[in-house]
Amino acid sequence: MTKFLADISEFLPILLQGLWLTIVVTVGSLLLSTALGMVWALMRVCRVRWLQRLSALIVNGIRGIPIIVQLFYIYFVMPELGVTLTALQAAIIGLGIAYSAYQAENFRAGIEAIDRGQIEASESLGMGWALMIRRVVLPQAIKIILPPYGNIMIMMLKDSSQASTITVAELTLKGQLIASSTFKYTSVLSMVAVLYLVMSVPLILFVRWLERRMGEARR
Amino acid sequence: MIELSDVHKSFSGVEVLKGITASVGRGEVVCIIGPSGSGKSTILRCINGLESYDSGAITVDGARVDRASPGIISIRTQIAMVFQRFNLFPHRTALENVIEGPIYVKGVKRAEAVPRAQELLARVGLKDKANAYPAELSGGQMQRVAIARALAMQPKAILFDEPTSSLDPELVGEVLAVMRRLAEDGMTMVVVTHEIRFAQEVADRVLCLDHGTILEEGPAKQVLTTPQHARTQEFLRRVLQPI
């Protein structure tokens, strides 16, 4: 036990550096995926047929390719096309794009759950599509969207570890490096697991709180 | 001001409007009655472009109603609609529901829209409910807010799609009273309704629809008390004496 405590004091500072990068990757790709996901979702529910099709194509394309392959592609193939990114940039963009498909499906489900009568009331007031989405649809859809959105956040936090595959020295990669050079797999990987848990649990509680609150609001 | 000529409309192969020709003059109150599925609501929905129609023409003050054209927005700001299920915005208070159209569609300043909305809410008897959310209101109150919301657009006409059909019987009266006052004030109204007594008292003209055609049309008193067509007689008998 004292050995384990000694390991903690020795490795924790290094792991915390990795943890910081984990947060940067998670938050960065969360913002990007939210923005892109909203674009795909709005394209999907708009009234222009070819935009709907394009959105479906993009979302299904992204969903059908493993995240790790998308990361490799952006980090290793894009330079050949003249776009060179740092590992961190590639990780944020790759995870952001990969997750935009799930965000889009969540947003679309929320938007499509809005009662048809709301659309008709907006139309009968003379609202155009964009105004209706902004003033009527999204403010109501957000209650439906938020709880699953919290779950996506938790998944993204954990999947940020995939950035390790393209050399981003986030928590998982740091842990792996320390463990393989010191052979202290048990204490190091336990610390890594606990650190992820420490970040996830508040999010999990937040999602539970959201679900309760939104459930009440809908009644 | 509203003209329909030979309007046809089908839903997936089933023709629901089979050549409707009718007109509504300024200040006129026209009630549309008839059995369920006869196409009453569809006519209203075509007039403000919530539905498209297949052939014929609908015009409002000479402007053709075409759901797909950008001009539809201007027509909708002139022709308001009140729905059977109210369709208030649940995330906004009564007052916010009423000012939504004027501020965001017509660009009226908030400082102007709010007092006007309060006036309208007072007119429908809901002065003290301005800050209530729809979920806190009864059906009759919600429908009256919906009427205030329609009035706030200062429309040339209001279309009512069975405005009392989803209300508890004891709440029907308060909504009809508001509508009666509107009619007295000279508002042009087209009302799809099963309230035969209301039609008798308030309507200038009544159209009786059946299977997508106008069975009978004329002054309210004539159509409702001495209907010519056997099917109109049968329909009225069933509505007035359901048991």
Side-chain angles (χ1 to χ4, degrees):
Chain A
M1 189 65 199
T2 40
K3 246 173 74 188
F4 184 61
L5 287 175
D7 287 347
I8 288 181
S9 64
E10 188 182 350
F11 302 133
L12 190 61
I14 310 173
L15 287 178
L16 285 179
Q17 290 169 12
L19 182 130
W20 169 244
L21 268 182
T22 290
I23 292 173
V24 170
V25 170
T26 305
V27 172
S29 50
L30 183 69
L31 293 176
L32 181 64
S33 67
T34 303
L36 284 178
M38 188 54 82
V39 172
W40 310 147
L42 290 177
M43 279 165 67
R44 189 66 183 265
V45 300
C46 79
R47 285 162 187 168
V48 185
R49 188 63 59 80
W50 69 267
L51 279 177
Q52 295 172 2
R53 292 219 183 105
L54 181 62
S55 160
L57 199 71
I58 292 171
V59 168
N60 289 329
I62 295 172
R63 271 201 298 194
I65 301 169
I67 294 178
I68 200 166
V69 175
Q70 294 185 45
L71 286 174
F72 284 167
Y73 207 89
I74 286 171
Y75 190 54
F76 297 115
V77 179
M78 293 304 269
E80 288 187 22
L81 304 172
V83 184
T84 311
L85 299 164
T86 66
L88 181 62
Q89 288 167 342
I92 289 174
I93 293 172
L95 283 167
I97 291 175
Y99 263 90
S100 71
Y102 304 106
Q103 301 277 26
E105 287 299 279
N106 179 31
F107 294 156
R108 179 168 75 103
I111 290 170
E112 286 179 347
I114 300 304
D115 183 42
R116 179 91 211 124
Q118 293 291 307
I119 312 290
E120 295 187 345
S122 320
E123 285 184 339
S124 76
L125 284 176
M127 288 190 182
W129 185 81
L131 185 63
M132 174 182 82
I133 290 286
R134 184 164 67 85
R135 296 288 307 170
V136 178
V137 174
L138 285 184
Q140 295 184 64
I142 199 145
K143 290 177 185 167
I144 304 161
I145 289 169
L146 264 184
Y149 186 84
N151 280 323
I152 292 177
M153 270 163 56
I154 296 167
M155 279 160 57
M156 288 188 83
L157 171 68
K158 293 180 295 173
D159 272 343
S160 68
S161 60
Q162 304 219 36
S164 64
T165 59
I166 55 167
T167 76
V168 176
E170 44 65 73
L171 184 54
T172 304
L173 185 54
K174 281 273 196 226
Q176 210 184 341
L177 291 174
I178 300 170
S180 59
S181 60
T182 61
F183 296 103
K184 293 184 171 168
Y185 282 100
T186 311
S187 45
V188 173
L189 291 182
S190 301
M191 283 166 70
V192 168
V194 167
L195 285 174
Y196 273 113
L197 206 55
V198 164
M199 290 187 287
S200 301
V201 166
L203 284 178
I204 291 169
L205 294 176
F206 176 61
V207 170
R208 196 186 292 167
W209 177 78
L210 272 181
E211 279 170 350
R212 238 194 348 249
R213 228 192 119 210
M214 295 307 170
E216 276 166 19
R218 234 178 293 172
R219 245 176 276 141
Chain B
M1 87 179 275
I2 301 171
E3 306 278 344
L4 293 89
S5 79
D6 198 26
V7 174
H8 288 259
K9 161 84 184 165
S10 301
F11 283 116
S12 45
V14 182
E15 196 168 35
V16 289
L17 298 182
K18 300 172 183 163
I20 300 287
T21 299
S23 70
V24 181
R26 199 170 297 276
E28 204 176 15
V29 177
V30 175
C31 283
I32 304 177
I33 61 168
S36 311
S38 56
K40 309 182 297 288
S41 293
T42 308
I43 291 183
L44 284 198
R45 295 165 59 79
C46 285
I47 292 175
N48 80 343
L50 287 179
E51 298 283 357
S52 58
Y53 48 99
D54 304 331
S55 66
I58 301 176
T59 58
V60 172
D61 275 345
R64 191 185 155 90
V65 177
D66 175 5
R67 179 176 162 72
S69 93
I72 191 68
I73 286 190
S74 142
I75 289 175
R76 283 176 178 153
T77 57
Q78 298 168 46
I79 307 278
M81 180 123 175
V82 172
F83 298 88
Q84 180 178 353
R85 302 200 43 84
F86 331 126
N87 297 348
L88 291 182
F89 303 130
H91 57 303
R92 306 203 185 280
T93 63
L95 184 82
E96 288 167 344
N97 265 280
V98 179
I99 59 177
E100 184 74 17
I103 291 181
Y104 292 94
V105 177
K106 294 181 104 179
V108 175
K109 287 204 185 68
R110 199 179 185 85
E112 230 172 279
V114 169
R116 167 131 181 83
Q118 282 163 336
E119 231 169 80
L120 288 171
L121 285 173
R123 191 162 152 200
V124 298
L126 291 172
K127 199 176 165 186
D128 52 336
K129 294 288 183 189
N131 295 317
Y133 282 91
E136 300 161 347
L137 300 173
S138 71
Q141 290 170 331
M142 282 197 265
Q143 195 59 297
R144 285 185 282 151
V145 173
I147 293 173
R149 177 172 73 176
L151 286 171
M153 295 300 283
Q154 299 183 298
K156 292 178 180 164
I158 304 184
L159 312 175
F160 292 85
D161 186 7
E162 304 202 28
T164 57
S165 295
S166 53
L167 295 178
D168 290 337
E170 79 270 23
L171 302 176
V172 169
E174 61 189 64
V175 172
L176 292 183
V178 168
M179 291 170 62
R180 187 173 291 132
R181 239 175 297 137
L182 280 181
E184 284 163 8
D185 291 347
M187 175 59 78
T188 309
M189 296 162 59
V190 184
V191 187
V192 169
T193 186
H194 290 295
E195 300 292 332
I196 302 300
R197 268 191 38 215
F198 172 81
Q200 222 160 5
E201 286 171 38
V202 178
D204 298 308
R205 261 185 320 127
V206 168
L207 306 184
C208 184
L209 239 67
D210 191 29
H211 292 103
T213 54
I214 296 177
L215 211 54
E216 196 158 343
E217 172 186 4
K221 203 168 171 201
Q222 179 199 311
V223 175
L224 297 171
T225 54
T226 54
Q228 304 300 306
H229 206 289
R231 293 244 286 281
T232 316
Q233 292 167 6
E234 163 73 10
F235 169 71
L236 287 171
R237 195 178 53 73
R238 265 183 293 143
V239 174
L240 295 171
Q241 296 158 344
I243 308 169

